């Protein structure tokens, strides 16, 4: 039972009725989403408990700047910085400011960021899951409160929230096919945690390419662990020390790509003659190492602007749950081209479904 000696809140009404705060709020606003019976129950309880909305707080919210919150796993990386840049550009066009938070790939930090956004009365949230997140209750809370949210890159609860992703499965399939076409037969995949949908998509594309070419799948060539430089470096070094080492590697992201790049060189092997390498990484870093890196490049700024545009549609009252897919580019350079590409690089835009 709520303590009614203090001012009655929406939360008190919701607890008394056994419904969500969002349901109570909508009932008091005569929202057509709430049935007449529930509207009546909410209003009768509000009257009995002397619930009064705070007009001062509502005035502050009207006059406050329009703000959206963004939580990303690693804002130091070029990829997530570019996603944030795309969000900020799109938000500015619509008169919104952006508050960003870095989860540092940590579930607890991500949950705190979401809670802070709620306290700050942001109008909506763009989120990319931390690699340690397997509990989605903080996002369920967002849904129950009626706060618009869009996932970008790494997603969950896609039946409840809109999302924008890259076509990592098709890109990984094309990259693996290129490695096979240039002579590789023992292609390794170095990924991140298996529960992340982004990892699952990219691993699926890699496996499909092997099946397409009737190459037996060797599970010892698949290493999916924590997204961490040292973890990836150790996994690749162990693979390369075996007599049946891989002759090519497909790496999940920039951290893992450059861990693999270093491990190959430290093993005294040549790239690409002994071990070819393609990584999901940003184009700027890939172009300035020696040998120059073949890369699967995200259109990360476009992903950010697309996610923000979808969020603004939700804030505007559109309840549609959307799924957008942004294609990636496969850029062939020296680390995988055993026959050097004419002109120094070849780009292939993979197609979104």
């Amino acid at each position: 039972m709520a303590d009614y000696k203090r001012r009655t809140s929406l939360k008190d009404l919701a607890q008394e009725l056994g419904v969500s705060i969002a349901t109570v709020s909508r009932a008091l606003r005569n929202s057509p989403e709430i049935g007449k019976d529930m509207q009546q129950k909410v209003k009768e309880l509000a009257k009995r408990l002397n619930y009064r909305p705070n007009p001062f707080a509502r005035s502050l919210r009207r006059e406050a700047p329009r703000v959206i919150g963004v939580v990303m796993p690693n804002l130091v990386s070029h990829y997530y910085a570019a996603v944030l840049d795309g969000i900020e550009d799109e938000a500015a066009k619509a008169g919104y400011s952006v508050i960003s938070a870095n989860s540092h790939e940590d579930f607890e930090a991500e949950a705190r960021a979401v809670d802070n956004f709620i306290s700050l009365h942001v109008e909506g949230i763009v989120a990319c899951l931390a690699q340690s997140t397997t509990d989605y209750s903080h996002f369920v809370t967002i849904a129950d409160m009626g706060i618009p949210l869009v996932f970008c890159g790494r997603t969950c609860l896609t039946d409840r929230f809109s999302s924008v992703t890259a076509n990592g499965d098709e890109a990984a399939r094309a990259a693996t096919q290129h490695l096979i076409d240039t002579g590789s037969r023992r292609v390794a995949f170095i990924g991140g945690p298996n529960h992340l949908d982004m990892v699952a998509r990219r691993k699926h594309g890699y496996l499909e390419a092997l099946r397409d070419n009737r190459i037996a799948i060797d599970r010892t060539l698949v290493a999916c662990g924590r997204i961490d430089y040292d973890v990836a470096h150790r996994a690749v070094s162990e693979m390369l020390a075996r007599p049946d080492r891989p002759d090519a590697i497909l790496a999940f992201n920039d951290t893992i790509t450059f861990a693999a790049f270093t491990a190959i060189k430290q093993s005294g092997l040549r790239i690409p003659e002994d071990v070819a390498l393609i990584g999901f990484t940003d184009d700027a870093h890939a172009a300035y190492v020696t040998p120059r890196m073949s890369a699967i490049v995200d259109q990360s700024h476009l992903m950010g602007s697309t996610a923000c545009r979808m969020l603004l549609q939700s804030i505007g009252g559109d309840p549609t749950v959307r799924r957008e897919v942004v294609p990636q580019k496969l850029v062939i350079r020296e680390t995988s081209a055993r026959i050097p590409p004419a002109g120094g690089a070849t780009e292939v835009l993979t197609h979104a479904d």
Side-chain angles (χ1 to χ4, degrees), residues 87-114:
I87 294 169
E88 289 177 335
D89 285 351
E90 194 68 26
K93 294 176 188 176
Y96 280 79
S97 297
V98 174
I99 300 175
S100 60
N102 192 342
S103 72
H104 301 284
E105 296 282 13
D106 179 69
F107 163 75
E108 295 291 345
E110 177 185 276
R112 283 196 302 272
V114 169

Side-chain angles (χ1 to χ4, degrees), residues 266-289:
Q266 289 176 342
S267 296
L269 297 168
R270 299 169 301 165
I271 306 173
E273 292 85 356
D274 299 318
V275 184
L277 176 63
I278 299 179
F280 284 81
T281 186
D282 69 272
D283 208 32
H285 291 151
Y288 297 118
V289 296

Side-chain angles (χ1 to χ4, degrees), residues 71-75 80 101-105 128-131 154:
V71 57
M72 293 282 146
N74 181 7
L75 284 171
Y80 290 113
N102 192 342
S103 72
H104 301 284
E105 296 282 13
C128 180
L129 293 179
Q131 65 172 307
R154 306 176 192 171

Side-chain angles (χ1 to χ4, degrees), residues 220-232:
T220 68
L221 294 179
V222 179
C224 289
R226 193 156 53 92
I227 301 171
D228 178 88
Y229 182 93
D230 291 334
V231 170

Side-chain angles (χ1 to χ4, degrees), residues 13-254:
L13 299 179
Q15 288 179 341
E16 183 78 5
L17 292 168
V19 297
S20 70
I21 294 173
T23 295
V24 171
S25 177
R26 290 168 181 159
L28 291 172
R29 290 185 281 109
N30 300 316
S31 169
E33 299 175 40
I34 308 300
K36 295 296 183 183
D37 289 345
M38 179 55 71
Q39 287 187 29
Q40 184 176 349
K41 286 180 182 179
V42 170
K43 290 175 182 177
E44 287 176 354
L45 182 63
K47 184 176 181 180
R48 178 162 62 85
L49 300 182
N50 196 29
Y51 167 78
R52 297 182 184 182
N54 187 337
F56 177 68
R58 289 193 300 180
S59 174
L60 282 178
R61 284 196 293 271
R62 282 197 301 269
E63 294 172 9
R66 310 195 76 178
V67 177
I68 62 174
V70 177
V71 57
M72 293 282 146
N74 181 7
L75 284 171
V76 175
S77 76
H78 181 274
Y79 170 76
Y80 290 113
V83 170
L84 178 61
D85 193 54
I87 294 169
E88 289 177 335
D89 285 351
E90 194 68 26
K93 294 176 188 176
Y96 280 79
S97 297
V98 174
I99 300 175
S100 60
N102 192 342
S103 72
H104 301 284
E105 296 282 13
D106 179 69
F107 163 75
E108 295 291 345
E110 177 185 276
R112 283 196 302 272
V114 169
D115 189 57
N116 288 337
F117 290 154
I118 294 171
S119 299
L120 291 168
H121 295 282
V122 299
E123 294 191 35
I125 297 171
V126 177
C128 180
L129 293 179
Q131 65 172 307
S132 63
T133 298
T134 55
D135 175 0
Y136 308 132
S137 56
H138 50 310
F139 295 122
V140 173
T141 298
I142 290 292
D144 290 343
M145 294 182 71
I147 299 173
L149 183 147
V150 172
F151 283 109
C152 183
R154 306 176 192 171
T155 72
C156 66
L157 305 175
T158 53
D159 59 327
R160 304 186 73 171
F161 295 109
S162 293
S163 60
V164 55
T165 59
N167 62 334
D169 52 346
E170 290 300 321
R173 192 172 188 167
T176 306
Q177 185 63 54
H178 162 72
L179 292 170
I180 294 168
D181 289 344
T182 51
S184 296
R185 289 298 178 269
R186 291 186 56 75
V187 183
F189 177 79
I190 315 298
N194 281 310
H195 68 268
L196 289 178
D197 62 327
M198 181 185 286
V199 175
R201 284 193 296 271
R202 295 177 182 183
K203 184 166 69 172
H204 176 74
Y206 154 79
L207 294 172
E208 284 297 292
L210 297 183
R211 293 187 185 102
D212 291 344
N213 291 273
R214 299 184 178 181
I215 294 175
I217 295 169
D218 183 345
R219 296 295 175 182
T220 68
L221 294 179
V222 179
C224 289
R226 193 156 53 92
I227 301 171
D228 178 88
Y229 182 93
D230 291 334
V231 170
H233 184 278
R234 184 163 54 251
V236 173
S237 297
E238 290 173 357
M239 283 187 183
L240 296 177
R242 291 163 30 188
D244 59 344
R245 63 170 172 78
D247 56 12
I249 293 173
L250 177 63
F252 168 72
N253 72 349
D254 49 0

